[in-house]
Amino acid sequence: MENNTVPIAPISLDTNTISNKKIKKADLLPNPESQLDSMEMKETPISDSSILFRDLSDTASKKESIIRLIDKLDVETNLRYQRTEEDTYCNVYSYDYCYFSKVYLPTVWWTAESLEKLEQGQDVEAVFEETVDRIYSSALHDWFPEWGGDFGWEPIASVDEIQNKVNANGGIGIICAKRREKGLSGHIVPVVPETALHKAYRENGVVVYPLQSQAGKLNYNYFSEVRKDWWNDELYSSYVLYYHP
């Protein structure tokens, strides 16, 4: 990525301990208006029975179904993920990618009041803009170390390690960077399994730029070297790497 500065260290893994809090998912139900060819209802899961979930039978089926999912979501062309004058949709694409991979990543999250009630053992229903609100990429950067462990996410030390784990196990990798300027968008991107046609970029056998898939100012079904180490850009104060089997 252009205008890179001195690389930013990832957030310390010491802060990424598994939480003892037991908070349930902030799930909204699929909505008929939530579609790949629509800009509506991005806060809910896509309602489309033709989108197949990740097949968890074995490593090969996981990786094959992820390739099919990337092709089906087709972030480069589907309307749901296209940037507008006001916004980009890295968080929406990452949510959809995780949702159909059978991994929990929030697109909405509990309000402070709802969290307090849940921690007290009260039952709270997810109601959009009442008990839950949208969660964006900079907030997701903070969500991972605080809540990710409750939903099976584990911190990873390097992009080389996360690419190798995704390749070896057909799991889900995430890079999430927090914007330095408060109130502006960070960025979140899935790290995806390498294919015969699409590869990570390595130097001396070590992954420097993993294979990724993103919505953003530019959308890519697959990319690696074209955006370099974007997570080290001066726009961001820190980043986290997380993996889910």
Side-chain angles (χ1 to χ4, degrees), residues 115-134:
L115 282 172
E116 185 176 345
K117 289 179 179 178
L118 287 165
E119 289 178 317
Q120 291 170 354
Q122 298 181 45
D123 187 32
V124 181
E125 181 183 355
V127 179
F128 186 54
E129 295 182 331
E130 291 185 23
T131 61
V132 299
D133 283 313
R134 287 186 178 89

Side-chain angles (χ1 to χ4, degrees), residues 38-88:
S38 170
M39 299 289 282
E40 303 301 318
M41 301 303 293
K42 294 184 187 215
E43 69 275 5
T44 70
I46 299 171
S47 181
D48 184 343
S49 60
S50 71
I51 305 176
L52 301 180
F53 286 85
R54 184 172 57 138
D55 183 343
L56 304 181
S57 301
D58 54 39
T59 297
S61 66
K62 288 179 183 178
K63 292 166 71 172
E64 289 166 3
S65 54
I66 286 173
I67 293 169
R68 288 196 298 270
L69 176 61
I70 293 170
D71 289 345
K72 179 68 176 179
L73 295 181
D74 193 8
V75 67
E76 293 182 8
T77 59
N78 276 317
L79 183 60
R80 181 176 175 89
Y81 309 117
Q82 303 313 303
R83 65 178 294 188
T84 64
E85 289 185 5
E86 297 79 24
D87 213 348
T88 56

